[in-house]
Amino acid sequence: MSAPLLDIRDLSIEAHKDGERLGIVERVSFSVATGEILGLVGESGSGKTVTCRALMRLLPTRSLRISGGKIEFAGRNLVTASEAEMRHIRGARIGMIFQNPASHLDPVMRIGRQIGESLVLHLQMSPREAKAQTIELLRQVGIPDPQRRADDFPHQFSGGMRQRAMIALALACSPELLIADEPTTALDVTVQAQILRLLVELRDKRGLSIILITHDLGVVAQTCDSVAVMYAGRICEKGPKRDVLAEPLHPYTSRLIACQPSASAEAGLLPSIPGQPPSPSAWPSGCRFHPRCERAIGLCRSSAPELVTVRSNHVAACHVTAPARLADEAA
Amino acid sequence: MKAGSISLAMPVRLPVPLILGLCIIGGAVILALFAPFIAPYDPILQDTTNTLKPPSRAHPFGTDNFGRDVFSRVIWGTRVDLQMGLIGVLFPFIIGNTIGAISGYVGGIVDTIFMRIVDIVLAFPFLVLMLAIIAILGPGIGSFYIAMALVGWVSYARLIRAQTLVLKHSDFVTAARSLGFSHGRIMFRHIVPNALVASIVFSMSDVVLVILSGAAVSYLGLGVQPPTAEWGIMIAEGQNFITTAWWITTFPGLAIVALAFGFSMMADGLGELLGVRE
Amino acid sequence: MTALLEVAGLEVAFAAGGFTWPGQAARQVKAVNGVSFALNAGETLGLVGESGCGKTTLARAILALTEKSAGEVLFEGERVDRTSLMRLRRNAAMIFQDPFNALNPRMRVGDILAEVLRVHRKVPPDRIAARVEELLVLVGLSGEHARRKPATLSGGQCQRVGIARALAVEPKLIVADECVSALDVSIQAQIINLLIDIRSRMKLAMIFIAHDLAVVRRLCDRVCVMYLGRIVEEGATADVFSAPKHPYTQALIRAIPEIDPAGSLPRNMLPGEPPSPLDLPPGCAFHPRCPQAMDICRSGDAPVLRPAGEQRAACLLYGGVRH
Ligand SMILES: Nc1ncnc2c1ncn2[C@@H]1O[C@H](COP(=O)(O)OP(=O)(O)OP(=O)(O)O)[C@@H](O)[C@H]1O
Ligand SMILES: Nc1ncnc2c1ncn2[C@@H]1O[C@H](COP(=O)(O)OP(=O)(O)OP(=O)(O)O)[C@@H](O)[C@H]1O
Ligand SMILES: [Mg+2]
Ligand SMILES: [Mg+2]
């Protein structure tokens, strides 16, 4: 296989807080091949957004910084790339759909102009072409009557429409890699399916690679090729979608799958993972999931498990389940 | 606690420009407050035997054409110029922010009227309008403050109005409305504290502008009146001797630059600290 | 017994963007177009529908946060207007979608809650601090969080503060607009469970807007399905989910993603472009995309809600049709 489009190795990110250094993301590695869709799932606060912002070198420099590792994109290490170089990559070669569109759309600029501007800037389109292209993009993401709605301000759009405008903005310059940070949270299931279909189609036609951050494992099942699961700043499991969803190894992944509400169930309480997600200022020792894990053993408290390969490409970091599975496979 | 565990890192990491700005302005404030004790001579005392002396040990910045000590005059000038900058910003700040916030929050006809007024004020060149107002009121520092208030508020009004318009649609303001809070409470507890940040940062760079226009107005003989020690006047009076006695104009000029630099560093630093700019 | 909330023929129109010639009538987006329903005390109504169909606008119009252009809202049998607005404000509260934007970033969590208590005189001044702590504990936080600013809390914690603020008014009605869509499944489950618990303890009525139909199914007694500003189906949750009647509802329910490791995207059930709310098509607004559209669907007035099975649907497939 040729080199992957994006290869992240041992990426660590630190926060400065009150003169202290907190490890927000620790030694995260994954890669995305051309035309691959990678699902990135995990608890709130596990560092998914921070990892992806680091990729774009868009961390708030005063509070967060990359403290180690490398990010190789199309043969270039983005960790050391200059700001000028990044400006050419951002938007044009890597597109990002931000998690909260409300704060990434300019409230006082018309939607159409915001998209058109980036087309003029990166693709040197004439304003006329840009306008036509903008309307086509808005149509693709399912905004009805795009001609006229392009003249609206963000606050005149519904929540879901703003999110779709954000998607149009990220796709505007036909990037090679798309980072979609929870792109469909504000969309109903039919529009969500339409957007996902659009992304998959772009992948099939143009070989677009996608990192899809989501909380919805149903979406992962429908669209992704592989999955990486993050917990408390570390990757705890990754592998091909089928393997991870059908035979999850890490207890956190299993619990996550069990928590997914199903539409066929009756009324009543929803299953959830007991306990609170840990915070970077007080990471648990050893395996960071151990305080909430019902299969934890003494070893989990004292030492952090390494990622172990249990089958080709399927890796997990657990002291209990990974060795058990390895033994099974050997037998 | 062990002595060794005391970390040198400050609890909040202050941006470098802010620290620099604070040092410069702090220094200026100390000079202004303690001018009588720091300045070696009386700033308006004339000594005709000692005119136009170049910098020396006795007169570090030299003397002017009336034999006054330039060093003492620069120190006393800090008082006047600092006061001019602060008062000259205070009134526009209050007037502009009040009008802008009301205009943006109420909207409709009120907004239209206020914004037309702003447009009219902005249609005139800044200094020309100021000089016209001072000319009508008669020269003097009081006229300068009034003119500054009448002209300077528009920038604050526009800035805070834009912020208010955006905040008005934000969820937390909608939440406040849905909880039945009064308009006054929504405006002063929820919108203004969030909108004011940009204005505060702007006011820091505005101080620079005010000091420079104050100096300019005094230079033209319309602001602070001689023989008061004020940097603008000193430069104006010294310009006849610029080729022969460079020190009379250079040191007050440097003082203006230093204070302006301090305030603009402060503006940058505050902006960074309060998250106006990333 | 009168219903807690009654909405009759509610319409909301916004002036649309874009250029209009002088003399030409200003274009309008009919975001809500003649919606009527009733909600009883203690009942939870789910509101679902396509993105942009007017759910948020409806919710805001009910709470008098957006000007309505026609129709009326009755709260406990009394019309909500300028004079009786305060009554609604004291008895209804809203929970927002974006947990971070819904809290004033410059206020501490404790002050945010105390302000509500003070304005509504819920407790004597010396009891405020204690009550704030009680509210925080009720939503699964602790008194320690009162001193924090929203920016130092996680999304789930902010959402809990938002819920605590809504509960501080001791409302009879809570309107929750997509209040869990920004949260991950585990925290989402905790918040939903919290709502289920509080609802039964305080006998709260709730209007719950959501895209996650699985959550709606768990939480709601009744559902209204909206399409382009109108309610197209309404009925008990179990009925609507097990036997959807309106073709739009059917498409919606079939599109729910399930975790099937071999899953793939469902094929497009709704071909064609959604019609523009700026000029609605004649007849049933869904006809351009409806697989079962008939000629009569394409003209005349929009169909009204009629009994269809256990529930009611606004579709000509279910009676009211003369051949
Ligand atoms: N600017 C910052 N300074 C300090 N800490 C930060 C900053 N931004 C994020 N963090 C911390 O980094 C951690 C990871 O945050 P991140 O936003 O990446 O989570 P996430 O996985 O995207 O969660 P979610 O699913 O809720 O979006 C959190 O604990 C958060 O508090
Ligand atoms: N302030 C406004 N001015 C003009 N049009 C608006 C305004 N608010 C909403 N709209 C329009 O009204 C329609 C309905 O919007 P609304 O926010 O109610 O949708 P929604 O059902 O909540 O959608 P979503 O699920 O995406 O949040 C949309 O077409 C939207 O563009
Ligand atoms: Mg995130
Ligand atoms: Mg909405």
Side-chain angles (χ1 to χ4, degrees):
Chain A
M1 210 173 87
S2 62
L5 178 68
L6 175 80
D7 189 30
I8 298 187
R9 285 275 148 251
D10 292 330
L11 181 71
S12 301
I13 298 165
E14 276 180 356
H16 306 276
K17 206 178 222 170
D18 303 346
E20 259 180 285
R21 287 167 167 203
L22 306 174
I24 300 282
V25 167
E26 262 173 39
R27 299 192 50 208
V28 162
S29 308
F30 57 82
S31 62
V32 186
T34 304
E36 180 182 349
I37 303 182
L38 170 80
L40 194 55
V41 299
E43 188 113 334
S44 214
S46 59
K48 306 181 293 294
T49 301
V50 168
T51 306
C52 288
R53 292 187 78 113
L55 263 176
M56 294 279 269
R57 287 272 303 281
L58 281 177
L59 293 176
T61 41
R62 253 171 49 70
S63 48
L64 295 178
R65 64 178 201 93
I66 298 175
S67 58
K70 66 176 203 276
I71 302 168
E72 208 149 280
F73 173 72
R76 251 189 286 192
N77 186 355
L78 298 188
V79 175
T80 52
S82 69
E83 188 52 37
E85 222 172 318
M86 283 314 295
R87 263 200 298 279
H88 285 292
I89 291 179
R90 258 180 236 142
R93 300 190 65 189
I94 308 182
M96 179 146 183
I97 302 170
F98 290 96
Q99 193 170 6
N100 43 351
S103 47
H104 287 97
L105 289 171
D106 185 342
V108 293
M109 199 195 273
R110 297 181 195 277
I111 300 273
R113 259 198 68 199
Q114 303 196 28
I115 301 174
E117 204 166 60
S118 115
L119 289 169
V120 173
L121 189 76
H122 287 299
L123 301 186
Q124 280 82 37
M125 278 193 189
S126 71
R128 235 199 143 83
E129 288 171 311
K131 172 127 207 215
Q133 178 67 18
T134 301
I135 288 169
E136 173 57 23
L137 281 162
L138 288 175
R139 207 184 52 69
Q140 283 182 356
V141 296
I143 302 282
D145 205 355
Q147 251 107 350
R148 276 179 253 164
R149 295 323 283 274
D151 287 336
D152 278 356
F153 289 102
H155 79 263
Q156 293 174 311
F157 267 30
S158 80
M161 288 162 74
R162 275 196 290 267
Q163 194 163 39
R164 285 179 275 163
M166 182 87 233
I167 295 173
L169 190 60
L171 292 176
C173 302
S174 342
E176 292 153 60
L177 173 69
L178 179 73
I179 303 172
D181 195 352
E182 302 184 24
T184 59
T185 45
L187 302 178
D188 66 281
V189 284
T190 59
V191 176
Q192 169 175 299
Q194 179 188 350
I195 294 290
L196 296 176
R197 227 175 276 123
L198 172 69
L199 295 184
V200 170
E201 197 182 291
L202 286 175
R203 188 268 303 267
D204 295 343
K205 267 207 221 124
R206 288 212 335 248
L208 174 71
S209 308
I210 303 174
I211 300 178
L212 183 69
I213 303 180
T214 175
H215 289 311
D216 191 338
L217 289 176
V219 169
V220 172
Q222 286 178 343
T223 52
C224 296
D225 304 309
S226 48
V227 199
V229 185
M230 280 185 83
Y231 186 83
R234 290 180 186 158
I235 292 213
C236 61
E237 179 161 7
K238 72 183 170 195
K241 167 193 78 176
R242 275 165 202 266
D243 293 357
V244 175
L245 292 186
E247 303 168 45
L249 268 179
H250 200 280
Y252 173 66
T253 318
S254 319
R255 293 304 298 255
L256 201 61
I257 295 174
C259 277
Q260 209 75 32
S262 152
S264 41
E266 287 304 313
L269 294 183
L270 289 165
S272 77
I273 305 177
Q276 287 293 318
S279 86
S281 53
W283 289 134
S285 62
C287 171
R288 289 178 179 168
F289 188 58
H290 86 252
R292 301 168 76 185
C293 179
E294 74 243 327
R295 308 187 60 176
I297 53 175
L299 184 61
C300 300
R301 242 176 300 276
S302 54
S303 96
E306 289 289 321
L307 282 169
V308 182
T309 308
V310 289
R311 194 182 286 170
S312 67
N313 291 330
H314 188 178
V315 296
C318 180
H319 287 309
V320 183
T321 55
R325 178 67 63 84
L326 273 178
D328 280 359
E329 298 268 310
Chain B
M1 194 157 66
K2 282 191 316 218
S5 71
I6 297 172
S7 125
L8 284 178
M10 273 182 257
V12 182
R13 278 170 32 112
L14 292 177
V16 177
L18 184 64
I19 298 172
L20 197 64
L22 277 176
C23 290
I24 295 176
I25 295 166
V29 169
I30 291 173
L31 283 185
L33 286 178
F34 299 106
F37 308 104
I38 299 171
Y41 300 93
D42 182 339
I44 52 175
L45 181 77
Q46 303 190 354
D47 176 4
T48 39
T49 60
N50 228 349
T51 59
L52 296 175
K53 285 275 172 328
S56 62
R57 186 153 304 163
H59 300 282
F61 290 0
T63 62
D64 67 3
N65 51 326
F66 294 109
R68 296 174 296 198
D69 177 44
V70 174
F71 182 60
S72 305
R73 283 179 68 73
V74 168
I75 290 174
W76 278 88
T78 314
R79 245 186 200 194
V80 180
D81 282 79
L82 207 53
Q83 180 192 336
M84 203 157 66
L86 295 180
I87 298 184
V89 158
L90 187 68
F91 292 113
F93 184 86
I94 295 172
I95 298 172
N97 281 322
T98 314
I99 289 180
I102 292 175
S103 184
Y105 185 71
V106 177
I109 184 80
V110 178
D111 190 34
T112 313
I113 292 173
F114 278 132
M115 285 307 116
R116 281 300 86 77
I117 300 177
V118 167
D119 288 342
I120 293 170
V121 176
L122 283 176
F124 292 95
F126 177 78
L127 260 177
V128 171
L129 191 57
M130 281 240 326
L131 293 179
I133 295 173
I134 298 178
I136 294 170
L137 296 172
I141 186 77
S143 306
F144 170 73
Y145 291 146
I146 294 176
M148 206 63 229
L150 289 179
V151 179
W153 65 273
V154 289
S155 327
Y156 293 95
R158 289 203 345 163
L159 194 61
I160 201 160
R161 172 179 173 269
Q163 298 274 328
T164 308
L165 285 181
V166 172
L167 288 170
K168 211 164 82 164
H169 292 292
S170 68
D171 279 349
F172 70 87
V173 171
T174 308
R177 282 173 60 203
S178 78
L179 290 163
F181 293 173
S182 65
H183 290 303
R185 177 176 284 274
I186 294 178
M187 225 171 99
F188 292 109
R189 292 271 298 166
H190 296 266
I191 293 182
V192 169
N194 286 287
L196 214 51
V197 178
S199 282
I200 292 174
V201 171
F202 174 73
S203 73
M204 287 299 130
S205 44
D206 199 31
V207 173
V208 179
L209 193 75
V210 173
I211 291 178
L212 292 179
S213 14
V217 167
S218 303
Y219 173 88
L220 293 172
L222 296 171
V224 181
Q225 296 300 313
T228 317
E230 195 277 335
W231 299 336
I233 299 176
M234 292 169 70
I235 296 173
E237 292 178 343
Q239 67 169 338
N240 293 332
F241 308 94
I242 191 102
T243 47
T244 51
W246 53 269
W247 52 90
I248 307 183
T249 47
T250 304
F251 290 109
L254 284 178
I256 292 179
V257 171
L259 196 61
F261 178 72
F263 275 109
S264 65
M265 281 293 112
M266 180 110 153
D268 272 5
L270 264 185
E272 203 179 306
L273 184 73
L274 299 175
V276 179
R277 306 166 206 157
E278 181 71 274
Chain C
M1 200 188 93
T2 56
L4 177 73
L5 178 79
E6 225 172 303
V7 176
L10 192 68
E11 284 181 24
V12 181
F14 294 107
F19 185 76
T20 44
W21 293 99
Q24 186 184 1
R27 281 181 199 287
Q28 287 192 322
V29 181
K30 282 240 162 143
V32 177
N33 200 351
V35 165
S36 309
F37 66 86
L39 180 70
N40 292 320
E43 190 180 31
T44 304
L45 176 73
L47 198 55
V48 300
E50 185 160 57
S51 162
C53 71
K55 304 176 296 293
T56 301
T57 310
L58 174 60
R60 293 172 57 115
I62 289 172
L63 293 180
L65 296 169
T66 293
E67 209 70 43
K68 53 182 185 283
S69 42
E72 48 186 45
V73 176
L74 303 174
F75 189 76
E76 297 188 310
E78 197 183 324
R79 252 191 82 184
V80 175
D81 52 24
R82 232 166 240 284
T83 46
S84 60
L85 183 62
M86 229 22 220
R87 218 174 107 77
L88 175 74
R89 292 275 183 261
R90 266 195 296 273
N91 287 296
M94 185 152 176
I95 307 174
F96 293 82
Q97 172 174 7
D98 185 339
F100 294 104
N101 287 348
L103 304 175
N104 186 342
R106 301 211 170 261
M107 283 169 86
R108 285 171 206 288
V109 166
D111 297 334
I112 290 173
L113 298 178
E115 183 177 30
V116 181
L117 298 173
R118 218 169 286 132
V119 168
H120 289 282
R121 304 217 174 74
K122 283 293 170 195
V123 291
D126 55 316
R127 280 258 306 130
I128 284 182
R131 176 68 182 149
V132 165
E133 182 157 357
E134 249 172 63
L135 283 167
L136 287 174
V137 171
L138 183 67
V139 296
L141 298 173
S142 68
E144 181 258 332
H145 291 100
R147 285 192 310 277
R148 300 232 227 144
K149 289 250 177 87
T152 65
L153 300 177
S154 74
Q157 290 171 328
C158 280
Q159 197 57 284
R160 283 159 194 264
V161 175
I163 294 174
R165 176 176 60 186
L167 294 175
V169 280
E170 293 161 33
K172 293 177 181 154
L173 169 68
I174 282 192
V175 179
D177 188 2
E178 296 184 33
C179 70
V180 289
S181 53
L183 307 173
D184 74 283
V185 272
S186 171
I187 298 185
Q188 176 177 321
Q190 292 177 6
I191 298 272
I192 297 293
N193 293 345
L194 173 70
L195 288 176
I196 291 177
D197 173 47
I198 291 171
R199 175 184 67 181
S200 53
R201 257 200 279 168
M202 299 190 167
K203 214 167 174 297
L204 274 174
M206 227 187 309
I207 297 181
F208 187 81
I209 302 176
H211 287 310
D212 192 334
L213 299 171
V215 169
V216 170
R217 172 129 213 207
R218 292 296 184 107
L219 187 66
C220 301
D221 307 316
R222 257 180 339 125
V223 222
C224 287
V225 183
M226 271 180 90
Y227 188 78
L228 272 183
R230 294 178 198 275
I231 294 182
V232 294
E233 181 155 355
E234 194 248 279
T237 311
D239 297 331
V240 173
F241 274 76
S242 55
K245 290 293 188 293
H246 195 282
Y248 175 67
T249 319
Q250 293 170 355
L252 198 62
I253 288 184
R254 234 171 300 150
I256 301 175
E258 288 284 336
I259 315 182
D260 168 9
S264 62
L265 280 169
R267 88 196 148 72
N268 195 353
M269 236 96 54
L270 297 174
E273 282 187 42
S276 162
L278 290 162
D279 40 5
L280 292 172
C284 171
F286 187 58
H287 84 252
R289 304 167 80 189
C290 179
Q292 307 176 54
M294 306 171 285
D295 279 340
I296 39 164
C297 301
R298 294 179 226 276
S299 59
D301 288 334
V304 294
L305 282 173
R306 277 177 235 272
E310 299 294 314
Q311 62 263 43
R312 298 191 305 153
C315 180
L316 296 180
L317 288 171
Y318 304 96
V321 190
R322 272 173 284 113
H323 288 282

